[in-house]
Structures are given as structure tokens and as C-alpha cells.
Amino acid sequence: MDHVRIIEVKQSVFADNDKRAAQLRQELKGRGVFLLNLMSSPGSGKTTTLRRTAELLKDELKIGVMEADIDSDVDARAMAEAGVKSIQLHTGGMCHLDADMTRQGLDELLAEGGVELAILENVGNLVCPAEFDTGAVKNAAILSVPEGDDKPLKYPLMFQVCDVVLINKMDVAPYFDFDLEKCREYIRMRNPNAKVIPICAKTGEGVEEWAGWLREQIRAWKV
Amino acid sequence: MHELGIVFHIIRSVEKVAVENGLEKVSAVVLELGEVSGVVPDYLADCWRWAAAKSELASGSELRIETLPAVTRCGGCGADYPTVAHGRTCPRCGSGDTWLLTGNEVNIKEIEAY
Ligand SMILES: Nc1nc2c(ncn2[C@@H]2O[C@H](COP(=O)(O)OP(=O)(O)OP(=O)(O)O)[C@@H](O)[C@H]2O)c(=O)[nH]1
Ligand SMILES: [Mg+2]
Ligand SMILES: [Zn+2]
């Protein structure tokens, strides 16, 4: 071992993924596909919200959904029932998707062509998905009322990387000491640019505003 | 599991550096880990042993971890303070309008090879 070499790297572990993600984003732009990355804790209402979103947008946009779950395909089946093309991604026990895994999913989802809005339902987790750029054009997070208004303080990175935060399950707010204004303030502290939209995916309240936001982003992306 | 995903990314980066530099065998990887990166060094080391064994290039190599201190800045009074001791509330003025300056790094610092 007398000729040990030291190679200085000085690079974030995430740098390589960031590069691949940027490349994927570029390619999607060329193909006219808008990729949305949807993140939240397990059970915050990602699938329910997507079903509602599809009801509002599916007549004007061809939507495809990728459901990332560690196991099972219940979400993909739920989306298919809602009349949306959907595929199941298996993460093999991984807690997040990276740009390469997203690309693999897109290869399958976009194979037939025509999809204009591709949505990735990321693995339910507020930590790891925030660290890996998937190549999405926009990132959305759902925070549901029962989780508490302090989550933006406890999981700052998730709220930093998000362009929009949906506060879901507003119907149960009376039963929890969830302070919407405080929550807005905590999000603003971590990310002054994030848009906050309170919704109730169960009844569909607020989903109109969210769909409008999304429509606007897609329009801006295509020009 | 978070640490496992990170280890896969480290190995991939190391393999790339190895190709670029014509390395055949890596003996150690030095990682800089911020105090509040959320990565658990012990888990990371376990995952490393398991995953590195499957890589021809990195099998048997050591993962050396250097900790970087976490520092938070206060928007209320401009002070910088140690994050781990005081969290998100400024110990000088009590403001909660604070943000992390350093401490969430997960960097590959250098690679030792022969
Ligand atoms: N009360 C109420 N319940 C809701 C609302 N939105 C979703 N739920 C319920 O919350 C539960 C979880 O919803 P999902 O849409 O499956 O959540 P998810 O985030 O996709 O869950 P995972 O994919 O398992 O992480 C279901 O029982 C939903 O019916 C809402 O606005 N109000
Ligand atoms: Mg779901
Ligand atoms: Zn202060």
C-alpha cells in the first residue's frame, strides 16, 4: 500500500442525481410533458386528491399517474378506476424516488404517447423524497390537518423544495387544534415563495383552486 | 431506508470518479456529514459494509465520516448560533425567524485508492 492515491471529490452525494434530474426535465420540456412530483406523509390524501384533480382536468389534459409504493398496487388501481392511466412503480424498499427511477417509470407511462401531465405520487415520507430531485417541473406537498400545524418547522426541507402546499382534510379542523394561520406563517418562514391552498379532498372543496394553479403552471411550461 | 439509498448514490459517484481517474480499487471513502443532515452515521456504516461488498471496486473499503457543525442564522438579530444546542429559536433574541447556514451536508470529500 505504498502508492495510495487520494482523489479529492468535494461533491454533494446528491449532485449526480441533481444533474440527471435537470437533464430529464430538459427532455420532458422537449416532449411537451409536465411532470408534477406530489409528496406527503403516508395517508395525507395524495391518492384522494389526485382522483379529485383528475375529475377536474381529465377532459382538457391527458393525465398519467405513477404510483410509487414500497409494495402493493392499491393506489394504481384506484387511479385506474378514476379513469386515469396509471402505473405502479416498485421502489424495492427504498424511501424515495430518484431521477433514474422516475425516468424508468416515465418510459413506461409515456410509451403510448399523448400524456401531457405526468404525476408522480412519491413514497409517503416527509424526509427522504425532499432530498432527491426527480426531474419534476413542480413539487407539491400535502400536509393534512391531523398531522399538526408545526410540520413545516419539523421537516423544513420538504417545505423548502415545494412550489405549493395543499393543506388537506380541512373538514376535520374543528376536531384538531390546527391553526391554519400559524401553519401559513411556518411555511412562509421556510419558503416565502410557496403557495398555500387549503383543501378538502373528501368533498372536493378547494380542489378547484389547486387545479387552476396547476393549469396555469402547465400553460407557462409549454410556451 | 434512507441510509441505504444514500449509500447507493455514494457508490455510484465513487464508481464514476474511479472511471475518470483510472482507479481499480478503492480503499476508503471520506464523507462529510452535517450534524443535522438527518443521516445516522452508524446506519450509514452498516449499509456501506453491505452495499460496498457487492461492488467490485469498493468491496472491503472503509467509509470514514467527518462531522461538520450545524450553524443557524437569526433573521431577527443577525446572530449565528450552534443549531444542535438551540434549535430553531435564537438564544440571543428569541426570534423564530431563523435558517440553517451549514449542517445539512452529505458530501463526498475524497477517495483513497491504489
Ligand atoms: N376527513 C377527510 N379524510 C380524507 C380527506 N382526504 C383523504 N382522506 C382520507 O384519508 C385516508 C388516506 O387517504 P389517501 O388518499 O389514501 O392518502 P395517501 O396520501 O394517498 O396515502 P398513502 O399512499 O398510503 O401514503 C383515506 O381514508 C381517505 O379517505 C379529507 O379531505 N378529509
Ligand atoms: Mg396513496
Ligand atoms: Zn436573534
Side-chain angles (χ1 to χ4, degrees), chain A residues 1 4-7 9-13 16 19-20 93-95 98 100 128 131-132 153 189-190, chain B residues 1-2 5 8-10 12 16-17 21 23 32 88 96 98 106-114:
Chain A
M1 289 265 267
V4 174
R5 288 175 65 188
I6 309 269
I7 289 104
V9 182
K10 270 287 179 196
Q11 173 190 294
S12 163
V13 168
D16 195 46
K19 236 183 278 161
R20 287 165 202 257
M94 214 71 90
C95 53
D98 61 20
D100 280 356
C128 319
E131 288 176 335
F132 291 91
L153 297 181
M189 273 160 59
R190 299 298 149 212
Chain B
M1 179 156 173
H2 193 44
F8 285 139
H9 281 272
I10 298 173
R12 198 154 73 183
K16 215 170 123 199
V17 173
N21 292 276
L23 311 177
E32 292 176 329
R88 289 172 198 90
T98 59
V106 187
N107 294 334
I108 301 175
K109 185 184 177 193
E110 57 194 29
I111 295 171
E112 268 180 34
Y114 53 88

Side-chain angles (χ1 to χ4, degrees), chain B residues 73-79 81 89-98:
Chain B
R73 175 159 296 169
C74 172
C77 71
Y81 64 86
T89 308
C90 175
R92 200 168 137 206
C93 73
S95 167
D97 179 18
T98 59

